[in-house]
Amino acid sequence: MHAITIEQPGGPEALVWADVPDPVAGEGEVLVEVAASAVNRADVLQRQGFYDPPPGASPYPGLECSGRIAALGPGVSGWAVGDEVCALLSGGGYAQKVAVPAGQLLPVPEGVDLVAAAALPEVVATVWSNVFMVAGLRPGETLLVHGGSSGIGTMAVQLGKAVGARVAVTAGGKEKLERCAELGADVLIDYREQDFVEELKAATDGAGADVILDIMGAKYLARNLDALAMNGRLAVIGFQGGVKAELDLRMLLAKRGAITATSLRARPLEEKAAIIAAVREHVWPLIGSGRVRPVVHASYPVTEAAEAHRVLESSAHVGKLLLTF
């Protein structure tokens, strides 16, 4: 088969379409013939040499895919060759075939085509596990989503609204904020021109956000604490603004707040399977009914992965960037 390989860390030009050995489905795995994958910032970090795959994972980038089951490994039940699926991966999405633990498979949702389904697994699993399973967002609460126009952000907005929360977003520029509004965002904050703490407090009569989903890390830590409501929960899932910052524990204590930080890629198989099971139970019906949908900015042939990486790094997109096979 062929896959996008990274022979040496570097810029987008480091992504090389090459002939590689076919994977084999092991115990509890299925072999998926990939129809599409999606581009995530973790892929960029891997290309740059900053985010190696976990031990035993495919060396090729790609944290999610859609496709058809080509073979079943020993011990797999409930799936059949030819089933159309999408999957959460530890790596290998930028390849024609990938071996996937059966617990990380999802059926393609009703009303979503096979290629667009590649935009779902990583963002849905990330948002549901952090915002709902860990931070416990409830109906009537306020959710602040940083980077509301990103793949993660567009899904968080939709899921927050679907469960009855009020959703605030930060994004750069009028066009991106308009797209967030179309998805249901109630409070629109242009981080380039507005202070998100002031705008959020003005929109909530000074209360702040019950849950904040943060991709910035250190740069936003102090301001996120300021923006938290009493008993608020800050879920950190990215470090685009750095990894080290000073934390005012007095403020956190005064607000009875909580900070969590998680990633999906290196979690044990049983934890990933539990998240995928929760997604199938709670989110798949919302997608099937049309209340939540994948947001795809553009699709590129997989051999043009370098261009897709350039677009992602420019932050000119809204939603997900896909690679098709």
Side-chain angles (χ1 to χ4, degrees):
M1 72 169 187
H2 281 75
I4 292 290
T5 63
I6 305 170
E7 297 179 4
Q8 294 290 335
E13 67 280 356
L15 301 173
V16 178
W17 184 241
D19 190 14
V20 299
D22 282 26
V24 176
E27 180 76 28
E29 295 183 332
V30 302
L31 186 66
V32 175
E33 184 176 349
V34 178
S37 186
V39 180
N40 293 286
R41 292 201 177 270
D43 305 335
V44 172
L45 292 174
Q46 181 174 339
R47 189 202 76 215
Q48 294 171 335
F50 300 131
Y51 193 20
D52 292 335
S58 169
Y60 317 123
L63 298 183
E64 57 194 331
C65 74
S66 62
R68 296 178 179 86
I69 294 178
L72 303 177
V76 174
S77 61
W79 300 99
V81 172
D83 284 350
E84 293 190 344
V85 297
C86 53
L88 181 69
L89 309 174
S90 297
Y94 291 20
Q96 290 178 315
K97 296 177 183 178
V98 63
V100 186
Q104 292 167 219
L105 285 179
L106 288 158
V108 172
E110 183 178 350
V112 177
D113 68 54
L114 183 60
V115 168
L120 290 170
E122 192 270 344
V123 294
V124 175
T126 296
V127 173
W128 191 261
S129 63
N130 284 279
V131 175
F132 298 94
M133 296 175 72
V134 175
L137 181 70
R138 296 182 290 271
E141 290 190 323
T142 296
L143 168 66
L144 171 62
V145 180
H146 287 302
S149 62
S150 67
I152 293 286
T154 53
M155 182 55 62
V157 170
Q158 294 181 82
L159 288 178
K161 293 301 295 181
V163 303
R166 187 183 190 193
V167 179
V169 298
T170 63
K174 180 180 178 181
E175 182 179 349
K176 288 186 176 182
L177 289 172
E178 287 175 349
R179 293 293 302 277
C180 291
E182 291 171 3
L183 295 171
D186 303 288
V187 181
L188 309 175
I189 304 168
D190 188 339
Y191 69 83
R192 296 173 180 171
E193 300 181 359
Q194 298 171 295
D195 183 289
F196 74 81
V197 179
E198 292 179 0
E199 296 297 324
L200 182 68
K201 288 186 175 181
T204 58
D205 296 325
D210 300 287
V211 175
I212 299 176
L213 185 63
D214 178 54
I215 59 174
M216 295 301 295
K219 183 178 180 180
Y220 275 12
L221 180 60
R223 294 163 70 197
N224 277 332
L225 287 185
D226 195 5
L228 272 184
M230 292 296 293
N231 299 302
R233 292 85 73 194
L234 169 61
V236 180
I237 60 169
F239 308 104
Q240 294 181 35
V243 298
K244 293 184 179 181
E246 189 171 289
L247 172 64
D248 187 343
L249 290 173
R250 292 172 300 178
M251 181 180 292
L252 189 65
L253 186 70
K255 291 191 173 185
R256 300 189 293 276
I259 302 174
T260 60
T262 70
S263 65
L264 273 175
R265 191 177 197 182
R267 286 195 181 202
L269 294 182
E270 59 271 18
E271 291 187 17
K272 291 181 182 178
I275 292 169
I276 291 299
V279 163
R280 186 168 183 176
E281 178 183 357
H282 298 288
V283 181
W284 251 225
L286 296 173
I287 297 174
S289 70
R291 295 179 65 191
V292 174
R293 59 185 175 85
V295 178
V296 177
H297 179 82
S299 298
Y300 300 83
V302 67
T303 51
E304 296 179 15
E307 179 59 24
H309 273 227
R310 293 185 184 99
V311 173
L312 184 76
E313 290 181 276
S314 75
S315 295
H317 62 294
V318 174
K320 299 283 285 191
L321 300 168
L322 300 185
L323 303 175
T324 58
F325 289 77

